[in-house]
């Protein structure tokens, strides 16, 4: 019989993450922050001198979620920050590609999400209401990105992502920064939220 294909990845922290059976012990925030800071959203099809990274997007989603749910427990803000964390190993697949790949992508994403959540004191699966509000923040972020850096008209973005309430997007600007600066800020925000979660 031929040997099974390798399904693990060596992380810069030294951890060996099994993609088919990830465990919380193999998850490190430094690996997540580093990976997400180098993963481009929109398949890199954005204006500017730097790619718009998933790490930068995650920071924005957490900020928008806090505006939508100002009284939400800190743990749900952490969940918002980590909403795309599995992409540090599986990359950011745009929706049309996810549709083409099929349900296997979702299964892989769910396994990684559960391990990441458990590692940082969150439930493996988020409550439906919380997940819905994070998704709302995610769509607002996508609308901002689409109209500010990805070449979409407002009309196109409204149709694809929904028209956001003006007060939720007022003053929000997309920032394009070097990956190492974004990595630093993602790690710092994660650390701050964890500290605020401690009793």
């Amino acid at each position: 019989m031929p040997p099974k294909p390798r399904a693990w990845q060596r992380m810069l922290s030294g951890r060996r993450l099994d993609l088919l059976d990830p465990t919380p012990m193999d998850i490190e925030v430094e690996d997540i922050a580093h990976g997400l800071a180098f993963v481009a959203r929109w398949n890199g099809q954005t204006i500017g001198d730097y790619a718009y990274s998933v790490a930068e997007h995650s920071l924005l989603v957490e900020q928008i979620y806090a505006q939508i749910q100002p009284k939400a427990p800190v743990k749900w803000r952490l969940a918002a920050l980590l909403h795309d964390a599995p992409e540090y190993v599986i990359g950011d697949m745009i929706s049309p590609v996810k549709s083409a790949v099929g349900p296997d992508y979702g299964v892989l994403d769910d396994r990684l999400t559960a391990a990441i959540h458990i590692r940082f004191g969150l439930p493996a699966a988020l409550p439906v209401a919380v997940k819905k509000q994070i998704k709302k923040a995610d769509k607002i972020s996508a609308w901002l990105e689409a109209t500010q850096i990805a070449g979409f008209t407002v009309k196109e973005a409204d149709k694809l992502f929904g028209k956001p309430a003006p007060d939720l997007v007022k003053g929000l600007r997309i920032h394009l920064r070097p990956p190492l600066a974004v990595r630093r800020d993602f790690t710092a925000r994660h650390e701050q939220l964890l500290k605020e979660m401690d009793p």
Side-chain angles (χ1 to χ4, degrees):
M1 287 187 84
K4 287 172 99 174
R6 179 171 70 88
W8 57 267
Q9 180 176 350
R10 176 79 60 201
M11 298 294 157
L12 288 179
S13 65
R15 298 285 188 189
R16 187 172 128 162
L17 181 68
D18 184 338
L19 300 180
L20 299 179
D21 188 23
T23 68
M25 294 303 296
D26 293 323
I27 308 293
E28 296 293 344
V29 71
E30 292 81 8
D31 293 330
I32 293 172
H34 183 82
L36 294 184
F38 284 92
V39 174
R41 296 239 326 144
W42 304 94
N43 274 354
Q45 297 301 306
T46 53
I47 61 168
D49 294 333
Y50 298 102
Y52 185 70
S53 73
V54 175
E56 193 79 79
H57 161 79
S58 299
L59 287 162
L60 181 58
V61 168
E62 190 259 326
Q63 182 185 352
I64 294 168
Y65 176 77
Q67 287 182 355
I68 295 170
Q69 296 291 317
K71 294 182 180 177
V74 175
K75 65 182 177 180
W76 302 143
R77 291 183 70 169
L78 179 62
L81 181 70
L82 296 171
H83 79 284
D84 279 340
E87 293 178 10
Y88 85 108
V89 285
I90 58 177
D92 179 38
M93 238 183 250
I94 60 172
S95 297
V97 176
K98 285 180 188 174
S99 298
V101 170
D104 288 346
Y105 178 88
V107 171
L108 185 59
D109 187 91
D110 289 346
R111 280 187 194 141
L112 283 163
T113 297
I116 291 163
H117 281 182
I118 292 166
R119 172 68 175 87
F120 299 117
L122 298 170
L126 298 179
V128 173
V130 172
K131 201 168 180 177
K132 231 172 155 177
Q133 292 303 307
I134 292 173
K135 189 65 187 168
K136 181 178 177 181
D138 191 30
K139 283 191 168 188
I140 292 168
S141 179
W143 184 92
L144 286 163
E145 295 161 27
T147 57
Q148 292 182 21
I149 59 170
F152 287 65
T153 65
V154 169
K155 189 176 178 182
E156 285 175 318
D158 287 350
K159 187 176 178 184
L160 289 168
F161 308 110
K163 187 181 177 88
D167 60 312
L168 289 176
V169 294
K170 187 179 178 184
L172 289 178
R173 298 295 310 163
I174 298 300
H175 301 287
L176 298 172
R177 302 185 291 154
L180 298 185
V182 182
R183 180 183 72 185
R184 180 196 63 229
D185 288 356
F186 183 97
T187 306
R189 185 65 185 141
H190 180 269
E191 187 179 337
Q192 184 181 351
L193 290 167
L194 278 181
K195 278 181 184 169
E196 289 177 24
M197 274 174 63
D198 285 341

